[in-house]
Amino acid sequence: MSSYPGTWRRPPQIVSDKRVRLALQLGVLLYLVLALGSVEVNWQRVSEGLERGQRFVMGFLQPDFSSRWKDISQGLIESLTMTLTSTVVGVLVSIPFGIGASRNIVPRQVYVFCRAVIAISRSLQELIVAIFLVAMFGFGPFAGFLTLSFATIGFIGKLLADEIEEIDEAQVEAIRSTGASWLQMLNYAIQPQIMPRLIGLSLYRLDINFRESAVIGIVGAGGIGATLNTAIDRYEYDSAGAILLIIIAIVMVAEYSSSYLRKFLQ
Amino acid sequence: MLKIKNLSKTYKTGDTALSDVTLEINKGQLVGLIGPSGAGKSTLIRCINRLVEPTSGEVWLGDVDLAQLGRSELRHQRRRIGMIFQEYALVERLTVMENVLSGRLGYVPFWRSWLRRFEAEDIRRAYELLDRVGLLQHADKRADALSGGQRQRVGIARALMQTPDLLLVDEPTASLDPKTSRQIMRLLTEICAERGLPAIVNIHDVPLAQSFMERLVGLRAGTVVFDGPPTDLSEDALTEIYGAEDWNTMRPGDDDESEGPLDVERAAEVMA
Amino acid sequence: MTQTLPREWAHRAPAQRAILWLGWFALVALFVWCWQIMSQDTIWAFVWDAPDQALDIGGRMMPPKWGYLPQLMKPLWDTLNIATLGTIGGVIIAIPVAFLAARNTTPSTTFLRPIALFIIVTSRSINSLIWALLLVAIIGPGLLAGILAIALRSIGFVGKLLYEAIEETDARQIEAITATGAGPAQVLTYGIVPQILPAFWSISVFRWDINIRESAILGLVGAGGLGLKMNASLAILAWDQVVVILLLILATVVLSEWVSAQVRKAII
């Protein structure tokens, strides 16, 4: 009657070879041991730091907006203006690059060139770009503006090009068959299809640029990051807490309003 | 066996799904629940195992009033009630065997289920049930690799794995083709007959219900308007259940309600 | 049906067009205003001087000092460890946070869910470099600060994507497991976990890929890895070493992107 087996093992889902699986597990284990072993921790320094950490948490809970308000507001204004100008310029420049990087509407040489520019912009960290631009243009928000504009080109350019490559070919053909020129084709067949996406991406990038503007100040490219860096250097954790809270608040507001705006525009 | 007394359900949105339903189902009896979309069929069977909390009324399974139970007692009693779902509701990414074994979850401690270390007796029964529904060689496949009819068989095996005293069946054939539908219904009736298992089957396909059920209950706007053998289901009775205007056209909005309580509640949360 | 046709065809209704123009005008005005505020302190002499500076730096980068490469192997290993261990740490914390933040699994929508969401937002709005800056000040420079910084930043990213995945699970599968009389922990492991597992792995690997990029520069603020070497080289204006470091970072990033793409392909 009960001739059915009384045991059952779940069959392996990804790696079916037992030996390969064992080797993988051992490899991961070995790596973890080596990696954890290479982390040298000065526990004395850490325990000293705990007291400072406590002060930081207190500073975060009881932020001090007033005593450094001049520096903070200056940094904020720099960050915000930098964010807006770099997003506008970055988006404007990225439109031709995005179009140029779409395989379906441009000649091959243009495509390769534009894709290369986008790839360079995407693979270079904002901070590294900022280091170079600060070295070239001097300290201050102008270098930050250029950094963020450059980073925007890679971001918007790539996503825009991907969008254009996925558009409905039938509409392009229909407009082309009317005898329209290349520019007319862009205006009538492509622009309507990608415009909502472009606006959405720009708003999203505005949000990212603000976050990044808080970072590049660390290497001298202006903005709230520089103020934050100074506050931490001086161990003024209550001011640092205030700055972080302001950043969080602005990011939250930007995120909610941009998602609202995107819904509204579509 | 199962006695439902004065059962009512009103959703938070103010929609009354059931009002004052009283039903009695005997051991081994197959009851088909028919009625238009939004009549409360799905709510009724979910009030029995309290996937939906009834607003008022009693649900007696044997000598336990399910409507009065606390959390852990309810879980205990749910093991006695097997449920089979519309669109199968298998855990798609688990294997067929795990899906069948999940019918034992109420019986085994957490660590056993977590490590997939079910007792030998359970595993033997799972194989036996898979054999009974004709899927023995598919035990190690993932549920999403099966066809619709096969998945519903796994759903049946999972429900039987609970060694239930009652089966609740919610639109078992809604997403199956006519031939597979009949096969599934035949399997279901055979299994109930073998085990003397009573079952409540929600079904919108009236001819299918008439040919497989021994008793039909017609629900309209949350109240019972027909109760009798299929042979008594006349044109007039159908009109009583479905309403004259509903024969050809569906009222807009009815579809939303038939989606079930989970979505209603979720919608309420989104709007809040 | 006989309608008088409008004399002129216009793309949009006049009011709509006016709003649109007003919007664009406001944007341009805002841009000009921001531009003026931003650039008022700019020393334009430096800006005009920039091409010369660029040429100068470019000249000093050539030829790259390839002999520096062997010295970079230990920092590279550190960078990989910061990214990997930081990702693991972040993911481990992100899992409970995600379950607390998801509407369908949180034990309390009024108390715990807002806290979980706040943790996610905080972690997301603060760049890992800022976390590193803080941690270096608090627990001192070194790998640990880097690992913690990466972990703290990853919580928000993984937490957000994971809780969205949890909210998108199929409610019917969960209902079916509940109906068998399973306890809450069993509903979680049988009904929800199998559904979100692929998303979980792909999110984690994706974040690991991002973390490789980020950990490469954390050293600039003292948190270990390649960035430390970069900082040291920048301090002595050794541009020929900087370019070697940059190329190494670039190679690592490309490799990690490839690995992450392969792994994600294997999962899905």
Side-chain angles (χ1 to χ4, degrees), chain B residues 51-110:
Chain B
L51 288 173
V52 170
E53 289 293 332
T55 313
S56 64
E58 298 166 19
V59 181
W60 290 90
L61 180 63
D63 48 7
V64 189
D65 180 6
L66 298 173
Q68 295 302 319
L69 298 177
R71 277 272 144 228
S72 70
E73 261 307 296
L74 171 66
R75 238 182 282 141
H76 226 253
Q77 292 299 325
R78 270 181 182 158
R79 304 185 307 194
R80 298 171 62 198
I81 309 169
M83 190 156 174
I84 294 163
F85 293 82
Q86 182 178 359
E87 289 169 20
Y88 339 119
L90 299 181
V91 182
E92 302 274 324
R93 299 192 61 91
L94 292 183
T95 57
V96 168
M97 192 62 172
E98 284 167 299
N99 269 293
V100 177
L101 284 172
S102 68
R104 295 310 284 179
L105 285 178
Y107 293 91
V108 300
F110 174 72

Side-chain angles (χ1 to χ4, degrees), chain B residues 46 49 51 75 78-79 81 83 85-87 89-94 98 102-103 105-106 108-110 112-114 116 118 158 162 261-262 266 269, chain C residues 103-104 109 167 169-198 267-268:
Chain B
R46 279 175 170 74
N49 63 358
L51 288 173
R75 238 182 282 141
R78 270 181 182 158
R79 304 185 307 194
I81 309 169
M83 190 156 174
F85 293 82
Q86 182 178 359
E87 289 169 20
L90 299 181
V91 182
E92 302 274 324
R93 299 192 61 91
L94 292 183
E98 284 167 299
S102 68
L105 285 178
V108 300
F110 174 72
R112 270 191 186 278
S113 61
W114 168 253
R116 312 298 199 252
F118 288 86
R158 172 173 67 187
Q162 290 174 234
L262 280 163
R266 193 180 299 154
E269 261 174 348
Chain C
R103 270 201 200 89
N104 49 349
T109 30
E167 286 187 348
T169 48
D170 180 1
R172 287 170 309 156
Q173 299 183 26
I174 300 166
E175 193 186 34
I177 296 295
T178 315
T180 65
Q186 289 171 324
V187 172
L188 203 69
T189 50
Y190 271 73
I192 297 175
V193 171
Q195 292 193 56
I196 60 166
L197 217 50
I267 295 166
I268 300 160

Side-chain angles (χ1 to χ4, degrees), chain C residues 72-200:
Chain C
L72 293 177
M73 288 303 120
K74 175 73 170 75
L76 177 63
W77 167 247
D78 285 345
T79 291
L80 292 177
N81 289 341
I82 291 175
T84 312
L85 297 177
T87 310
I88 294 173
V91 166
I92 289 172
I93 305 170
I95 293 169
V97 173
F99 277 103
L100 292 180
R103 270 201 200 89
N104 49 349
T105 54
T106 186
S108 98
T109 30
T110 46
F111 179 64
L112 286 173
R113 182 161 190 264
I115 291 181
L117 289 178
F118 181 73
I119 292 174
I120 289 174
V121 169
T122 308
S123 158
R124 266 162 51 78
S125 3
I126 300 178
N127 194 293
S128 55
L129 207 75
I130 295 178
W131 282 118
L133 201 66
L134 283 172
L135 286 162
V136 167
I138 292 171
I139 60 172
L143 285 189
L144 187 64
I147 293 170
L148 290 178
I150 291 288
L152 284 172
R153 175 65 183 85
S154 303
I155 294 171
F157 182 91
V158 177
K160 176 164 196 280
L161 293 178
L162 197 58
Y163 99 71
E164 284 170 356
I166 296 171
E167 286 187 348
E168 277 167 22
T169 48
D170 180 1
R172 287 170 309 156
Q173 299 183 26
I174 300 166
E175 193 186 34
I177 296 295
T178 315
T180 65
Q186 289 171 324
V187 172
L188 203 69
T189 50
Y190 271 73
I192 297 175
V193 171
Q195 292 193 56
I196 60 166
L197 217 50
F200 169 79

Side-chain angles (χ1 to χ4, degrees), chain B residues 87-160:
Chain B
E87 289 169 20
Y88 339 119
L90 299 181
V91 182
E92 302 274 324
R93 299 192 61 91
L94 292 183
T95 57
V96 168
M97 192 62 172
E98 284 167 299
N99 269 293
V100 177
L101 284 172
S102 68
R104 295 310 284 179
L105 285 178
Y107 293 91
V108 300
F110 174 72
W111 68 269
R112 270 191 186 278
S113 61
W114 168 253
L115 296 172
R116 312 298 199 252
R117 287 277 185 277
F118 288 86
E119 311 212 15
E121 195 46 44
D122 288 347
I123 290 167
R124 242 184 301 257
R125 256 179 50 78
Y127 274 120
E128 190 187 329
L129 284 170
L130 277 176
D131 199 12
R132 175 66 189 86
V133 298
L135 291 174
L136 195 55
Q137 70 276 35
H138 296 294
D140 283 349
K141 278 193 189 160
R142 242 167 61 171
D144 53 8
L146 300 184
S147 71
Q150 289 173 326
R151 287 192 212 189
Q152 196 54 291
R153 287 162 192 269
V154 178
I156 293 171
R158 172 173 67 187
L160 293 176

Side-chain angles (χ1 to χ4, degrees), chain A residues 75 248 252:
Chain A
I248 294 171
M252 275 178 82

